Amino acid sequence: MGTHSVEAMVLGIAQDGGIPQLGCDCPHCRAAWRDGSLRRLVVSLGIVDHEAKTTWMVDASPDICEQMNLLVSSFPGYRLAGLLLTHAHVGHYLGLALLGRESRDTRNLPVLCTRRMAAFLRTNQPWKQLVDLGNIELSIVESDRPVGLGSTATATPVLVPHRDEHSDTVAWSIAGPTKTLVYCPDVDRWEGRILEAIEDADIALLDGTFYSTDELPGRDISDIPHPCISDSIKTFEGWGTEIRFIHLNHTNPLLSDEGLVGQLMERGFKIAKRCDVWKL
Ligand SMILES: [Zn+2]
Ligand SMILES: [Zn+2]
Ligand SMILES: [Zn+2]
């Protein structure tokens, strides 16, 4: 494997509710209910360390069963070394529940998260039980401080502005021997340290929840809590970083509009797909 001993693999690209979404009969969800190949798993990223023969998952989504299986079947014999969490919204940590005694029953699985996220998990059931029974072992990270993921990869949490009722929110910057990838599924605005992290990265997987405000008729632009893709491409056009959008809402026209996808690609941007892989 040489210098390409670390890879990152996309495990899902949908917003927290997935696609199709519970009880939804919109055109995208209706199509995905009929045709399973149109289903999109909730956003998550796998990190593979070929030297240590370990994998890590960033976020623990409600689709964790399929996503962990995707990692296990793609890299047989590799051990899941731990999880990295971004924040306490359901699409990003609900999967932790399946690590408990009713399901996988892991032993002291390292879970890297911020102090506020750790406090939330330690004090609220059913997450508290995972900590008390030793299914997971919380490891507190500080913003902008890199942590080692084993032999070669490092991961650096970067605080981002987001709706922070239960925890704060971080993006993760994952560095291998040759490249760096930023994973930022949820952000309210492109401001602060995350901009430097994206600029310094080779690849950035960024919040692409909505394409434009047209998806939310009747809502005031100022209370839409995500930058729209149509604005983000203006922000990042011409940057040297390879940018792919993740965390797509079921309303996002880029899920089905090939013409719009083409326009995006002409400007140098893409939607990420499950199983996209980068050598870091
Ligand atoms: Zn989310
Ligand atoms: Zn829908
Ligand atoms: Zn969120």
Side-chain angles (χ1 to χ4, degrees):
M1 295 295 167
T3 53
H4 286 147
S5 53
V6 177
E7 291 183 302
M9 178 163 133
V10 173
L11 303 177
I13 67 141
Q15 177 267 359
D16 299 44
I19 301 164
Q21 200 156 99
L22 179 77
C24 189
D25 190 39
C26 78
H28 288 148
C29 291
R30 203 181 315 139
W33 287 122
R34 279 202 206 111
D35 176 357
S37 72
L38 297 174
R39 190 178 161 215
R40 302 293 201 287
L41 302 184
V42 174
V43 74
S44 174
L45 182 76
I47 303 166
V48 184
D49 184 332
H50 292 291
E51 242 159 62
K53 293 205 181 311
T54 54
T55 59
W56 296 76
M57 286 178 79
V58 191
D59 278 331
S61 95
D63 292 323
I64 194 168
C65 297
E66 271 178 90
Q67 291 169 324
M68 206 177 280
N69 185 56
L70 189 58
L71 273 181
V72 168
S73 57
S74 303
F75 305 99
Y78 285 41
R79 175 180 62 86
L80 178 71
L83 301 176
L84 290 69
L85 299 181
T86 56
H87 66 305
H89 285 165
V90 294
H92 304 268
Y93 77 99
L94 231 56
L96 291 176
L98 294 168
L99 302 176
R101 58 171 21 156
E102 299 92 338
S103 179
R104 187 73 187 88
D105 199 21
T106 52
R107 280 296 103 213
N108 304 317
L109 185 73
V111 172
L112 280 55
C113 62
T114 67
R115 194 171 301 279
R116 265 193 77 192
M117 182 80 207
F120 171 77
L121 296 172
R122 274 199 192 108
T123 51
N124 290 283
Q125 295 290 12
W127 327 109
K128 181 178 183 300
Q129 177 177 285
L130 297 172
V131 178
D132 292 346
L133 296 182
N135 296 121
I136 61 174
E137 193 170 295
L138 300 175
S139 175
I140 291 172
V141 297
E142 308 277 350
S143 187
D144 301 322
R145 295 243 183 99
V147 276
L149 295 184
S151 58
T152 31
T154 63
T156 308
V158 180
L159 274 175
V160 296
H162 191 44
R163 181 167 54 87
D164 289 341
E165 321 89 315
H166 305 306
S167 72
D168 43 14
T169 302
V170 294
W172 284 94
S173 176
I174 312 296
T178 59
K179 287 187 176 171
T180 300
L181 176 147
V182 165
Y183 171 84
C184 180
D186 268 288
V187 71
D188 286 6
R189 301 170 296 284
W190 297 121
E191 66 176 35
R193 262 281 295 136
I194 186 64
L195 286 170
E196 288 166 46
I198 294 168
E199 193 175 18
D200 292 345
D202 299 281
I203 304 116
L205 308 180
L206 302 184
D207 182 341
T209 311
F210 303 110
Y211 178 73
S212 76
T213 53
D214 298 348
E215 286 159 64
L216 299 159
R219 289 269 297 269
D220 183 348
I221 292 179
S222 62
D223 69 36
I224 294 173
H226 297 273
C228 289
I229 289 180
S230 59
D231 291 328
S232 295
I233 60 180
K234 291 176 200 150
T235 303
F236 297 113
E237 193 153 38
W239 287 37
T241 311
E242 175 184 343
I243 290 175
R244 307 235 176 147
F245 292 103
I246 54 172
H247 200 267
L248 272 69
N249 197 53
H250 61 127
T251 54
N252 195 313
L254 288 163
L255 290 164
S256 59
D257 186 336
E258 293 299 325
L260 204 56
V261 170
Q263 284 174 34
L264 195 72
M265 285 172 68
E266 271 166 33
R267 296 179 70 170
F269 301 91
K270 280 185 186 174
I271 299 301
K273 289 195 167 61
R274 190 188 334 173
C275 295
D276 277 349
V277 170
W278 291 272
K279 294 180 188 307
L280 304 182

